[in-house]
Amino acid sequence: METSTPEVAYALVIRLKTPSVANLYDQVVRTYPARLEILQPLIDIPINIRP
């Protein structure tokens, strides 16, 4: 029996921070200019923060 799996669109967001490399973001952008794109939110999720 064959079952088809629907494609799922996703994005992986990673935050990196290192004190030894001051311009990490600039290095990544220069290395992968055609593969990076600005993420556009598809939905808004309201978050309530209690004081």
Side-chain angles (χ1 to χ4, degrees):
M1 173 170 32
E2 280 188 44
T3 60
S4 63
T5 305
E7 291 186 15
V8 177
Y10 69 94
L12 175 63
V13 179
I14 299 174
R15 180 179 180 189
L16 300 172
K17 184 176 182 181
T18 176
S20 61
V21 181
N23 64 345
L24 180 61
Y25 176 82
D26 294 330
Q27 290 180 30
V28 171
V29 169
R30 278 191 304 246
T31 303
Y32 303 101
R35 299 189 75 180
L36 299 176
E37 59 185 78
I38 297 172
L39 298 177
Q40 299 297 327
L42 299 177
I43 61 172
D44 288 327
I45 301 174
I47 300 174
N48 295 323
I49 301 174
R50 297 181 193 178

